[in-house]
């Protein structure tokens, strides 16, 4: 499990962002950090979420409230895409059987 | 290669001011940003075009050159000189979005301004390009979690395929894309699973459906029948008077639920009662007797 963790300090230095940005994202529930022996880490899956927030913030100047709204809408979109995929599979099955 | 009308891409007039260009870029970038359009190749392509157009039109020097040569760009002397610069590599800021569907500038841009664009020489780190791969599997392959080695871009990648993966599902392997630019992080690898249909087991979500033949005598009188499931054989009790197309559910004998350990769908067995077709004389007589009772 620890192999999948990367320190938030390293990420901030790499992306040239303030650690407060990550803290604020966490307060909004947009990323989730893990603390091990007083060091704050991010799971690789969470890293992808953080990088998405960094890109949206830098490219489109979206603020925290905007990022929160985007994340919620994207989650809904992913759910719907999965549902469509499952329905397509079911429809294929239906066509095969009948 | 075709002439690319950057003004048209940004929905601008030729005499647009710097402020109008900025506004148009921001408006369209918000609309087509890859993070806001997941799994939308069309939007990703459009976003690259918008970036390319902005790269040229927001830079007064490049814009002047573009405006001067425009459609006649192929005849401009300096293009040859610029072509030599292409060998410097085509990595650009937009490679950061490579993961959303490829990240190069158009050939038109490269011919006119050299590979990459002005900002490619900057020191900002950018994520490497993402790779996509398709993996074809049989239904039984994804019944259990297993490891498989793939060759992606000449490199061997050993991946774990979780049980219960759906047909068409994508998984992301962070860091398995191409190397980053200016010490940027590597891109990711996206694998799409294509799962072939199984002749016996039909999957619908996490449930499995099978058709089992049942001889007439067992259907009428009841009995036992051994049925093959995904994890071995099971003996089923067949009640007397079972009809053809009747089905029964075996709870937890279906497909594993994706990333949920020890959770399984159900198995539905549909009985297909087989009526005997070649009766001998004695059998025929017995059936006739039965019919007269």
């Amino acid at each position: 499990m620890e192999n999948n963790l990367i320190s938030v300090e390293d990420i901030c230095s790499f992306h040239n962002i303030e650690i407060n940005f990550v803290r604020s994202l966490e307060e909004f529930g947009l990323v989730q950090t893990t603390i091990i022996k007083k060091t704050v880490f991010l799971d690789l899956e969470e890293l992808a979420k953080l990088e998405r927030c960094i890109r949206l913030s830098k490219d489109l100047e979206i603020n925290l409230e905007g990022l929160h709204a985007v994340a919620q809408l994207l989650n809904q979109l992913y759910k719907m895409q999965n549902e469509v995929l499952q329905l397509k599979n079911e429809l294929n099955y239906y066509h095969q059987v009948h | 290669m075709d002439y690319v009308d950057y003004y048209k891409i940004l929905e601008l007039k030729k005499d647009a001011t710097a402020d109008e260009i900025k506004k148009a870029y921001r408006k369209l970038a918000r609309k087509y940003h890859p993070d806001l359009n997941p799994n939308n190749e069309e939007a990703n392509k459009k976003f690259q075009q918008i970036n390319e157009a902005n790269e040229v039109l927001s830079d007064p020097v490049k814009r002047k050159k573009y405006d001067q040569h425009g459609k006649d760009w192929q005849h401009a002397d300096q293009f040859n000189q610029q072509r030599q610069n292409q060998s410097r590599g085509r990595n650009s800021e937009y490679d950061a979005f490579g993961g959303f569907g490829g990240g190069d500038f158009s050939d038109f841009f490269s011919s006119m301004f050299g590979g990459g664009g002005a900002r490619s020489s900057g020191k900002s780190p950018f994520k490497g390009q993402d790779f996509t791969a398709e993996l074809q599997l049989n239904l039984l392959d994804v019944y259990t979690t297993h490891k498989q080695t793939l060759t992606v871009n000449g490199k061997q990648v050993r991946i774990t395929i979780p049980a219960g993966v759906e047909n068409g599902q994508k998984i992301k392997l962070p860091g398995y894309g191409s190397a980053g630019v200016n010490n940027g992080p590597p891109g990711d690898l996206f694998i799409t699973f294509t799962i072939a249909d199984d002749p016996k087991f039909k999957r619908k979500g996490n449930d499995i459906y099978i058709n089992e033949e049942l001889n007439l005598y067992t259907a009428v009188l009841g009995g036992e029948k051994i049925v093959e499931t995904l994890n071995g054989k099971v003996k089923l009790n067949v009640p007397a008077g079972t009809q053809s197309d009747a089905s029964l559910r075996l709870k937890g004998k279906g497909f594993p639920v994706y990333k949920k350990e020890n959770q399984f769908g159900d198995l539905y067995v549909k009985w297909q009662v087989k009526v005997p077709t070649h009766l001998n004389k004695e059998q025929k007589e017995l059936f006739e007797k039965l019919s007269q009772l």
Side-chain angles (χ1 to χ4, degrees):
Chain A
M1 180 65 186
E2 284 190 25
N3 289 340
N4 288 335
L5 296 176
I6 180 164
S7 98
V8 167
E9 203 178 319
D10 289 346
I11 300 167
C12 289
S13 134
F14 183 81
H15 283 291
N16 203 15
I17 54 166
E18 294 288 330
I19 199 153
N20 281 340
F21 179 67
V22 182
R23 284 193 191 125
S24 307
L25 290 176
E26 189 166 25
E27 279 169 20
F28 269 81
L30 293 169
V31 292
Q32 198 178 349
T33 59
T34 309
I35 300 172
I36 300 173
K37 291 175 190 166
K38 290 184 182 171
T39 307
V40 188
F41 292 94
L42 212 61
D43 185 78
L44 280 182
E45 274 191 26
E46 294 296 309
L47 177 63
K49 290 184 197 168
L50 172 64
E51 288 182 330
R52 185 176 70 195
C53 290
I54 295 171
R55 285 194 297 270
L56 288 171
S57 163
K58 284 187 177 173
D59 295 346
L60 304 179
E61 295 178 4
I62 295 179
N63 62 15
L64 282 167
E65 289 79 2
L67 292 174
H68 188 238
V70 165
Q72 281 189 327
L73 290 172
L74 281 175
N75 281 342
Q76 283 179 25
L77 181 68
Y78 286 129
K79 265 189 198 167
M80 283 193 281
Q81 281 182 343
N82 279 337
E83 211 174 306
V84 168
L85 180 68
Q86 196 160 329
L87 289 172
K88 273 184 183 170
N89 287 342
E90 283 183 17
L91 196 61
N92 282 341
Y93 167 74
Y94 180 82
H95 283 311
Q96 278 167 13
V97 171
H98 299 279
Chain B
M1 69 200 83
D2 296 329
Y3 166 74
V4 180
D5 189 340
Y6 292 139
Y7 289 101
K8 201 173 167 188
I9 287 172
L10 289 184
E11 299 167 8
L12 289 167
K13 288 181 184 164
K14 301 269 180 202
D15 59 353
T17 63
D19 195 41
E20 284 170 336
I21 293 167
K22 195 176 169 184
K23 274 185 188 163
Y25 169 72
R26 289 210 172 283
K27 183 183 148 197
L28 292 170
R30 272 199 295 272
K31 189 172 173 185
Y32 294 107
H33 195 284
D35 280 316
L36 302 179
N37 294 275
N39 305 322
N40 185 342
E41 293 291 329
E42 198 62 34
N44 296 340
K45 204 172 150 192
K46 186 86 181 161
F47 186 69
Q48 284 167 24
Q49 289 175 345
I50 294 162
N51 273 311
E52 185 176 309
N54 183 56
E55 175 83 18
V56 174
L57 299 185
S58 64
D59 180 328
V61 179
K62 282 184 185 171
R63 185 179 178 186
K64 194 177 170 194
K65 187 175 164 184
Y66 175 78
D67 287 344
Q68 266 178 348
H69 299 297
K71 284 179 181 166
D72 299 321
W73 60 276
Q74 277 173 311
H75 307 297
D77 291 336
Q78 56 265 53
F79 292 165
N80 288 332
Q81 194 186 335
Q82 292 293 346
R83 279 194 185 102
Q84 288 168 10
N85 294 335
Q86 286 183 36
S87 59
R88 285 184 303 180
R90 297 178 55 150
N91 292 321
S92 72
E93 176 168 16
Y94 308 112
D95 284 338
F97 305 104
F100 306 105
D104 278 340
F105 286 102
S106 68
D107 289 341
F108 173 77
F109 182 97
S110 302
S111 296
M112 195 149 186
F113 302 102
R119 278 183 272 177
S120 64
S121 57
K123 291 201 168 55
S124 307
F126 297 115
K127 190 183 173 196
Q129 193 171 344
D130 292 350
F131 290 148
T132 54
E134 192 181 302
L135 188 57
Q136 301 205 335
L137 298 162
N138 293 320
L139 186 70
L140 295 182
D141 293 333
V142 288
Y143 180 70
T144 50
T145 298
H146 70 283
K147 290 185 187 297
Q148 194 158 337
T149 306
L150 303 176
T151 306
V152 180
N153 208 33
K155 279 191 287 186
Q156 298 273 83
V157 181
R158 192 161 168 78
I159 63 162
T160 301
I161 301 167
V165 159
E166 279 263 1
N167 182 32
Q169 190 173 335
K170 271 186 188 172
I171 62 163
K172 179 172 125 179
L173 297 175
Y176 283 92
S178 71
V181 181
N182 296 330
N183 293 322
D188 303 323
L189 169 62
F190 290 87
I191 299 175
T192 307
F193 295 100
T194 305
I195 300 164
D197 291 325
D198 188 271
K200 182 173 171 70
F201 300 102
K202 300 287 176 205
R203 181 181 179 187
K204 199 173 161 189
N206 298 315
D207 296 330
I208 292 290
Y209 292 76
I210 57 170
N211 290 326
E212 275 294 325
E213 282 188 2
L214 199 61
N215 67 51
L216 182 68
Y217 312 106
T218 313
V220 173
L221 303 171
E224 287 176 340
K225 169 90 182 171
I226 291 176
V227 170
E228 204 177 321
T229 71
L230 287 162
N231 63 348
K233 292 178 177 173
V234 290
K235 195 195 278 182
L236 300 179
N237 284 321
V238 181
T242 294
Q243 302 292 318
S244 199
D245 286 346
S247 62
L248 70 97
R249 184 178 72 141
L250 298 180
K251 201 168 161 34
K253 285 283 181 190
F255 223 66
V257 181
Y258 181 68
K259 288 203 169 174
K260 286 192 178 161
E261 220 174 316
N262 297 323
Q263 281 192 38
F264 292 82
D266 301 330
L267 172 70
Y268 290 84
V269 182
K270 193 191 233 184
W271 298 119
Q272 304 287 315
V273 178
K274 210 164 158 57
V275 177
T277 49
H278 301 290
L279 299 176
N280 59 34
K281 199 180 165 199
E282 194 185 350
Q283 285 172 321
K284 205 174 170 186
E285 282 170 7
L286 285 167
F287 271 109
E288 277 167 358
K289 259 189 190 172
L290 271 174
S291 71
Q292 286 158 13
L293 285 175

